Amino acid sequence: MRLHSLQDTALRYFTAVADTGSLTEASARLHVAASALSRQIAALEAQLGVALFERHPRGMVRTAAGDILLAHARRAELDAQRALEDIGALQGLRAGQVRLATSDAFANELVPRLCVDFQRQHQGVWFSVTVLPTAQVPDTVRQGHADIGLCFSRAPQKDIAVAYRQAAPVLALLPPDHALAALPSVTLAQLGQHPLALPPPETAIRQMMDIVCSRQGLQLDPVLVSNHARTVIQFVVNGGGLSVSSEVAAREMVARGRIVARPISDPGMDLRDIEVQTLAGRHLPVAVEAFLALLRERLPGPA
């Protein structure tokens, strides 16, 4: 059975127009005539007694009522998907999909490893993994485009349920033979005396550093800037200098003895958490719930 067989046609058409902002683009996506889409939306508006879109020469813009209906339509689509997957599980089909939206720090080592381990026990389950800037992860979950969001967070998010949370202080990454590696912790001022690889200014970790540095009148001048976690870690591994990271992003290299991670003692460098996010109020499919359990088990790392 296909997903759309459990969905209301008018809501499917409405969602496509809402997503694209265009009858023409929605028509191409659904392979349905634009006139048919227009009739379904007009019928919905007549039933509800409100306009769902403002019609403009360049497209369709949702009204406040359209925003409310879109949130309902997304939840209905997710519930239909869950029903199909639960029915499949009851039939012993071992089928299902887990859609992940994750920030870069988790995508290099942790997420691929967990997907492999999960599929060894659940071979019918397949994954979709999208790597996004941290700020875009919760919005992707909110829109129903991902079942699970995995990212760093410093503030609550509307319509997002936190399935798991753990502290994620920023750590200094150093070569094992570096002089600072012998210390129990380091400061940003100490790091600034050596060549640095840092994430770009728009990232949460860099913004935390910039705030702390501003309070101290300290300026850090990195020799390498990258939004790719593996790049800055490899900079340290290859002897280029020092960097910063979360524990989870550097976990594999630390375990192999390629780098050393030390706490940064400056106040404010610990004000961040890892969050596993889902859409608030949503009943998750069986496969997604099972993968969530694995995430909760493995995220803390070795004791």
Side-chain angles (χ1 to χ4, degrees), residues 253-296:
M253 286 297 179
V254 170
R256 292 166 57 185
R258 302 295 301 278
I259 55 176
V260 171
R262 292 288 180 261
I264 299 175
S265 58
D266 302 74
M269 296 305 293
D270 60 346
L271 301 178
R272 186 181 69 155
D273 293 329
I274 292 172
E275 287 189 355
V276 179
Q277 302 175 340
T278 62
L279 182 63
R282 182 189 174 198
H283 297 291
L284 298 173
V286 172
V288 176
E289 285 282 12
F291 190 75
L292 267 180
L294 183 62
L295 268 175
R296 293 189 189 101

Side-chain angles (χ1 to χ4, degrees), residues 11-55:
L11 281 183
R12 281 201 302 119
Y13 290 1
F14 163 78
T15 300
V17 175
D19 283 342
T20 61
S22 163
L23 282 170
T24 302
E25 291 184 31
S27 171
R29 175 191 290 188
L30 296 174
H31 305 290
V32 174
S35 58
L37 298 178
S38 182
R39 285 194 299 271
Q40 289 281 2
I41 290 171
L44 269 178
E45 290 177 323
Q47 292 172 19
L48 296 171
V50 293
L52 299 173
F53 294 98
E54 295 176 2
R55 275 75 169 174

